[in-house]
Amino acid sequence: MAVETAPGALDPIAAVALVGALGVGAQWLAWQLRMPAIVLMLAVGVLAGPVLGIFDPARDIGEFYLPMISIAVAIILFEGGLTLNFHTLRDAADGVKRLVFIGAPLGWLLSTLALRYGAGTTWESAAVFGGIMIVTGPTVIAPLLRSARLARRPAALLQWEAILNDPVGALAAVLALEVVIVLRTAEQVGSAVWTLVIGIALATVLGIAAGYALAWAFRRAKVPEFMKVPVLFASVLAVFAVSNMVLHESGLLAVTVMGIVIANANLPSYGELHRFKEHATILLVSGVFILLAASLDFAALSQLTWRSVVFVIIVLSIVRPVTVMLALTATKLPLKEKLLVATTGPRGVVLVAVAGLFGSRLAELGVEDGALIGPLAFILVAASVVVHGFTLAPVAKWLGLTAAETPGVILVGGSHFTTGLAQTLKKAEIPVLVTDPNRGHLRGAREAGITTFFGDILSEGAELRIELNGYKTVVAATDNDAYNTLVATDLGPEFGRENVYQVGREKSTNARHALPSTLGGRHFVGGMTYNALNRLMWQDWEFRLTRLTEEYSKADWREKRPEAHVLAYIDTGGEIHFVEDEEDVPDVADTRIISLLPAEQDDTAKTVA
């Protein structure tokens, strides 16, 4: 049956496809340009929507687009809850508690004052929108943290605050709205308070119960492996809907609590569940930002005055810094970490979605400036996303809170080969870490002044003690082929399979021992095995770092040393790239080649540190 569409409108299928293409396309282009993806998605949505008129969510998708956004936000918050394992808090726990229990109410108060005296809104609108402004938005923080590569503790502070304060902000707005309803209608105070208490209690209990029930069912094999993700999705939607039926927006609290419970249940299948949800969330974040940006109404924005600009400036330069600094005053956090958190508070999807809904409700109640909340929310989100999107990485770098300025390399397995490679990387000023569960295997690296980690790279201890954000490449080079394959397979989704390598496996060409392409990492040094590489080292082969010039090309280098094995190259920007094939090395001046060659092949004139 054909669906009738308005003249010039897209049919719903084409509209949804366009949202996906624009969102994912913007994310990919931002990755290519190395710029904040959120900024580009916002720009693309506005361009496709109100500027060019190609896409109008209300016209092309219809009345379902707002429920779609609500469901997407619920799934995003649930996925955020799945990332909140209490073990990752460690020394950031005190800061997170203060940002939630002190920062949230303080932020509500200061935001309300900024709205009343900065934007000039009524107290009613200020109180409701001020509650919503508690949120900092996991939809924005997650992509920014991914690109800025912050040190572990400030990243944990920003991530936990964003996820926990999202439902808190929504519920604060519900509380303020209930007060307005009591003042403007005949509803009794007792009834409003009772509704709030029951709604929040039900959301919390429902989230905990659903989380424990799913964890029990998954652990006891009550749900087959192929149905775990579908059951998880269905449960999230059910919990969100049931909670919202009792108290609007309490579903956000329920799904967040549910995610946290599952994250801390130590499920064997947690990794697979979280990875799938993470991929789904990237798609949902892209789609939601395109939908919200495309639905922008320039006519509504034209109602705003110069005081709106004053309001945004006050929020970014006063409200956020003062809130964070006061909340974290009594903590032992270093001043530079407090400053980074205080200057980072981008708002996201939840703020725009909830503000538009509550603004309409206020207008229905007769609050004269209720309709302005939606436009105010949009310009606050746009300004905060642009400002923090472009300043987070530079500010973190200035404060010394990035995991590493140059992406580093983790060498798994201590040996003569990895120690020599680590020394060469250190000479080239590439951060390098050698890990091994056998302390004796690390002695050579420690004596050479290389940073080491005694323990299993896959352990929880490694996740807590190693600043993994500072490393881009993993090379599994132990004497155990099975363990190398396990490391490469497990870390592939986190580092990107294109950045995970392993030494060649013995008998890998034999059909009985060959593994599918889904297991293990990429090969390098021509697929040479652990034994072959270390045999060369004991035969006095050595690593060399050679810089190409206009006069000394890759062909010249290869002609002079035909026996050399190429491992990697360092590009003109100082970033290292391991290679499967020598053809991957660009013939560009100032490119540095890392190779393994016999000691008698002297390259003194061309070898540089």
Side-chain angles (χ1 to χ4, degrees):
M1 182 178 177
V3 179
E4 294 186 7
T5 57
L10 298 171
D11 67 78
I13 295 176
V16 172
L18 179 64
V19 169
L22 292 177
V24 175
Q27 291 241 29
W28 178 83
L29 185 59
W31 171 73
Q32 287 284 348
L33 301 175
R34 297 189 177 184
M35 67 178 292
I38 298 295
V39 176
L40 202 56
M41 286 189 287
L42 206 59
V44 168
V46 171
L47 190 65
V51 174
L52 299 178
I54 299 173
F55 174 55
D56 179 355
R59 178 196 67 194
D60 300 334
I61 298 178
E63 59 185 10
F64 294 108
Y65 99 91
L66 287 177
M68 283 171 56
I69 291 177
S70 296
I71 290 172
V73 169
I75 294 172
I76 290 167
L77 277 181
F78 172 72
E79 193 276 333
L82 275 181
T83 66
L84 300 184
N85 189 302
F86 293 130
H87 292 296
T88 64
L89 265 180
R90 215 173 46 156
D91 49 352
D94 188 39
V96 170
K97 290 175 187 174
R98 289 177 174 273
L99 286 173
V100 174
F101 293 109
I102 298 176
L106 185 58
W108 186 4
L109 172 63
L110 294 179
S111 297
T112 300
L113 294 175
L115 283 160
R116 180 69 184 93
Y117 296 109
T121 65
T122 61
W123 280 112
E124 293 159 311
S125 294
V128 174
F129 190 27
I132 305 171
M133 284 172 58
I134 291 173
V135 308
T136 53
T139 55
V140 185
I141 284 293
L144 289 184
L145 293 180
R146 195 178 300 120
S147 60
R149 296 171 52 248
L150 297 186
R152 181 189 51 78
R153 187 164 57 192
L157 281 170
L158 289 168
Q159 183 183 33
W160 274 80
E161 181 205 15
I163 295 170
L164 293 179
N165 273 352
D166 250 30
V168 171
L171 292 173
V174 170
L175 174 60
L177 182 62
E178 288 293 335
V179 172
V180 174
I181 291 173
V182 168
L183 294 175
R184 293 213 167 223
T185 66
E187 184 174 350
Q188 297 297 314
V189 175
S191 174
V193 171
W194 180 249
T195 301
L196 277 172
V197 171
I198 290 296
I200 293 173
L202 175 67
T204 305
V205 171
L206 192 58
I208 293 173
Y212 275 114
L214 283 173
W216 177 84
F218 289 175
R219 187 178 289 111
R220 297 295 183 89
K222 301 297 182 182
V223 178
E225 197 67 31
F226 73 93
M227 284 194 65
K228 285 182 178 178
V229 171
V231 167
L232 201 61
F233 261 112
S235 301
V236 170
L237 296 180
V239 167
F240 178 66
V242 170
S243 186
N244 266 4
M245 288 169 63
V246 177
L247 178 66
H248 199 69
E249 301 305 326
S250 66
L252 298 178
L253 174 63
V255 296
T256 303
V257 170
M258 178 180 167
I260 294 174
V261 170
I262 294 175
N264 291 276
N266 294 320
L267 292 176
S269 55
Y270 168 77
E272 291 78 9
L273 294 175
H274 181 239
R275 279 183 201 128
F276 181 84
K277 298 288 289 179
E278 190 175 34
H279 297 157
T281 298
I282 290 174
L283 185 61
L284 290 172
V285 168
S286 305
V288 168
F289 259 90
I290 296 296
L291 286 170
L292 291 175
S295 62
L296 176 64
D297 184 358
F298 282 158
L301 283 181
S302 66
Q303 301 175 33
L304 300 177
T305 65
W306 60 270
R307 298 191 67 167
S308 304
V309 178
V310 174
F311 158 70
V312 171
I313 294 173
I314 291 173
V315 170
L316 297 183
S317 61
I318 299 176
V319 173
R320 173 65 180 178
V322 170
T323 299
V324 172
M325 295 304 287
L326 288 178
L328 299 179
T329 296
T331 65
K332 296 180 181 179
L333 294 172
L335 177 60
K336 59 184 182 180
E337 294 188 11
K338 295 177 184 177
L339 288 173
L340 180 64
V341 176
T343 54
T344 307
R347 269 63 177 188
V349 170
V350 175
L351 186 138
V352 176
V354 177
L357 179 67
F358 283 23
S360 302
R361 185 76 178 100
L362 286 172
E364 292 171 3
L365 291 170
V367 178
E368 56 189 28
D369 56 356
L372 294 180
I373 288 182
L376 271 176
F378 190 89
I379 65 166
L380 177 60
V381 168
S384 66
V385 162
V386 172
V387 170
H388 297 302
F390 284 110
T391 60
L392 177 58
V395 169
K397 183 178 178 181
W398 177 68
L399 291 171
L401 292 175
T402 50
E405 187 171 342
T406 303
V409 177
I410 296 177
L411 301 177
V412 183
S415 66
H416 197 18
F417 168 75
T418 54
T419 299
L421 177 56
Q423 288 176 295
T424 306
L425 294 175
K426 186 177 179 181
K427 268 188 201 174
E429 299 183 346
I430 301 293
V432 60
L433 173 73
V434 180
T435 78
D436 200 296
N438 187 321
R439 189 184 294 275
H441 291 173
L442 296 173
R443 184 171 61 184
R446 288 199 304 270
E447 291 174 351
I450 305 300
T451 304
T452 62
F453 173 73
F454 167 51
D456 196 317
I457 189 62
L458 302 180
S459 68
E460 193 173 89
E463 185 178 352
L464 296 177
R465 291 176 174 82
I466 300 175
E467 294 280 3
L468 292 177
N469 285 340
Y471 300 93
K472 176 186 175 184
T473 307
V474 176
V475 178
T478 73
D479 58 357
N480 186 323
D481 286 340
Y483 181 70
N484 291 337
T485 302
L486 174 64
V487 167
T489 303
D490 188 80
L491 297 182
E494 183 173 350
F495 285 85
R497 296 192 182 279
E498 69 278 8
N499 297 318
V500 178
Y501 296 82
Q502 73 176 96
V503 295
R505 297 173 56 251
E506 302 284 353
K507 304 179 183 178
S508 59
T509 56
N510 188 311
R512 289 178 177 269
H513 299 279
L515 296 177
S517 58
T518 54
L519 298 178
R522 301 173 68 185
H523 287 161
F524 70 117
V525 206
M528 293 180 70
T529 65
Y530 170 89
N531 289 329
L533 289 168
N534 280 283
R535 194 178 301 118
L536 292 180
M537 298 301 294
W538 289 115
Q539 292 171 0
D540 291 330
W541 282 51
E542 59 187 25
F543 290 95
R544 290 291 178 89
L545 185 62
T546 308
R547 187 187 298 273
L548 302 181
T549 66
E550 296 291 347
E551 297 78 24
Y552 189 72
S553 66
K554 186 171 75 171
D556 297 329
W557 174 84
R558 173 48 75 188
E559 183 180 358
K560 189 170 182 178
R561 51 195 50 73
E563 295 181 37
H565 297 291
V566 177
L567 284 82
Y569 70 92
I570 302 172
D571 62 26
T572 54
E575 194 167 323
I576 188 167
H577 307 268
F578 283 79
V579 295
E580 290 183 289
D581 191 281
E582 186 179 320
E583 296 301 317
D584 297 332
V585 179
D587 193 4
V588 177
D590 284 330
T591 296
R592 290 174 288 172
I593 298 176
I594 298 176
S595 60
L596 186 61
L597 69 165
E600 62 268 15
Q601 291 196 20
D602 190 17
D603 192 26
T604 306
K606 302 298 179 183
T607 302
V608 296

